[in-house]
Amino acid sequence: MFDTVPTLHCGRHALKLDAPKIMGIVNVTPDSFSDGGRLGSSEAAIGHALALVSQGAHMLDIGGESTRPGAEPVPLQEELDRVIPVIEGLAARSDVPISIDTRHAVVMREAVAAGATFINDVFALRGENALECAAELAVPVCLMHMAGSPQTMQADVQYDDVLVQVRQFLTERIFACEMAGIAKKNIVIDPGFGFGKHLQHNLALLANLEYFLQLGVPVLAGVSRKSMIGEITGRKTHMRAVGSAAAALLAAQSGARILRVHDVAETQDALAVLAAVQGAKRTDYSAKAKPSIQWPDDD
Ligand code: 7PM
């Protein structure tokens, strides 16, 4: 799909996507690291993020939870107060690219000033000034598909063909980015598992993820602990690590280059198995080749 190995240039880091890379999720919300004070929760988030790096995360995604399905919008200043101290702390104390998960241009700008070098926008830069802002910041961006808005998306989910429609949307957003001056080498796409999708849609996307490789930009997949994993396994959020790693592995096998996950160690092990098996792949043999042994007919 790519003439050369796609490489994302995130500030001083060159993220070579020859093998799938792990993006560790760091939610900076009052409930995720609640030990009272603001400073304490920043420190807790930083500690968690550094633990993810030690488990093998190749990058970190910092989110102030304004983009979650069904979430009420968080005031801009609140989002900034949550994420900026964490980005500053991690920029000083970690050596992996830091992604900012936001749909607000102001947050993108402040986050990049604080040390973020990747923008993860579940709204695919459709927010006010977001396209212009991302073009100016000139860092790689992830464009995610979402049907509707975070408040409405699960309300009335209908697709004639989820694959065609999600790919069409992403094609249009890539075009809009290029028109705004964002280089194609700085674009990553994501079908947006769980965002305005039911299980059948999520499964269709995961089963046919190759369909998105034709767009010629790296694919990011985020299936970690999502309701689709819960529906398949019958498990509650914190018991979904194995199901999530299995789903991440399938995404990787279908060509996803970045896996956005909570359970970094488990995903790392799953990817190690994939790499080992891929390394033993014989290219001189194919299932279509004529077998050298002729089996006798059954008759
Ligand atoms: C509640 C429900 C909390 C869902 C958090 C979530 C993605 C993302 C999220 C994704 C990209 C989560 C989601 N999901 N960004 N942000 N792709 N690019 O599971 O799939 O973290 S929020």
Side-chain angles (χ1 to χ4, degrees):
M1 279 304 159
F2 299 99
D3 299 336
T4 54
V5 176
T7 301
L8 295 175
H9 292 276
C10 304
R12 65 196 163 85
H13 305 281
L15 201 65
K16 197 173 164 198
L17 303 179
D18 48 350
K21 295 293 177 276
I22 298 175
M23 171 190 260
I25 300 170
V26 182
N27 285 321
V28 193
T29 56
D31 51 310
S32 20
F33 299 103
S34 56
D35 64 345
R38 166 79 55 202
L39 228 173
S41 70
S42 293
E43 281 305 313
I46 291 168
H48 178 67
L50 294 174
L52 296 183
V53 173
S54 72
Q55 289 169 28
H58 303 100
M59 63 193 303
L60 295 164
D61 189 38
I62 317 302
E65 198 172 59
S66 60
T67 53
R68 312 300 178 235
E72 284 303 315
V74 171
L76 214 56
Q77 192 56 51
E78 174 69 23
E79 188 180 347
L80 287 167
D81 291 346
R82 288 180 188 177
V83 298
I84 299 301
V86 175
I87 293 169
E88 282 174 348
L90 288 172
R93 288 155 65 182
S94 80
D95 199 33
V96 298
I98 299 165
S99 159
I100 173 67
D101 179 350
T102 188
R103 57 195 184 108
H104 298 116
V106 176
V107 180
M108 292 173 192
R109 204 179 290 283
E110 298 270 321
V112 169
T117 55
F118 186 98
I119 294 168
N120 174 28
D121 184 2
V122 301
F123 218 55
L125 302 179
R126 287 175 293 161
E128 211 179 311
N129 296 325
L131 266 180
E132 299 75 9
C133 181
E136 204 179 301
L137 296 171
V139 297
V141 298
C142 178
L143 309 171
M144 197 195 78
H145 173 270
M146 179 198 305
S149 73
Q151 289 75 43
T152 64
M153 66 181 158
Q154 292 297 123
D156 185 26
V157 181
Q158 277 181 31
Y159 298 90
D160 288 327
D161 186 328
V162 69
L163 290 175
V164 170
Q165 285 168 254
V166 171
R167 194 174 76 174
Q168 185 58 35
F169 171 88
L170 293 171
T171 302
E172 287 167 16
R173 294 314 298 160
I174 292 171
F175 183 74
C177 283
E178 291 192 280
M179 284 289 116
I182 297 174
K184 195 163 183 186
K185 67 169 175 46
N186 272 345
I187 300 174
V188 173
I189 53 168
D190 179 346
F193 290 96
F195 284 82
K197 285 130 193 145
H198 292 316
L199 179 61
Q200 69 197 95
H201 306 125
N202 292 317
L203 291 175
L205 292 167
L206 186 53
N208 303 285
L209 205 61
E210 292 92 348
Y211 184 69
F212 296 93
L213 302 181
Q214 294 166 0
L215 300 190
V217 297
V219 171
L220 183 153
V223 290
S224 188
R225 299 188 187 173
K226 285 194 173 162
S227 64
M228 64 182 288
I229 306 297
E231 288 171 70
I232 296 167
T233 61
R235 298 197 186 274
K236 299 243 178 283
T237 320
H238 284 274
M239 295 302 285
R240 294 177 187 167
V242 176
S244 298
L249 186 69
L250 293 170
Q253 194 158 34
S254 296
R257 300 294 177 121
I258 303 177
L259 304 165
R260 183 180 178 278
V261 309
H262 300 87
D263 304 291
V264 171
E266 289 83 349
T267 309
Q268 176 78 353
D269 282 3
L271 288 180
V273 173
L274 177 63
V277 174
Q278 281 177 342
K281 186 74 182 170
R282 274 173 54 176
T283 50
D284 59 336
Y285 169 89
S286 93
K288 289 191 202 108
K290 209 172 165 214
S292 53
I293 301 167
Q294 290 295 324
W295 299 101
D297 292 335
D298 298 333
D299 58 23

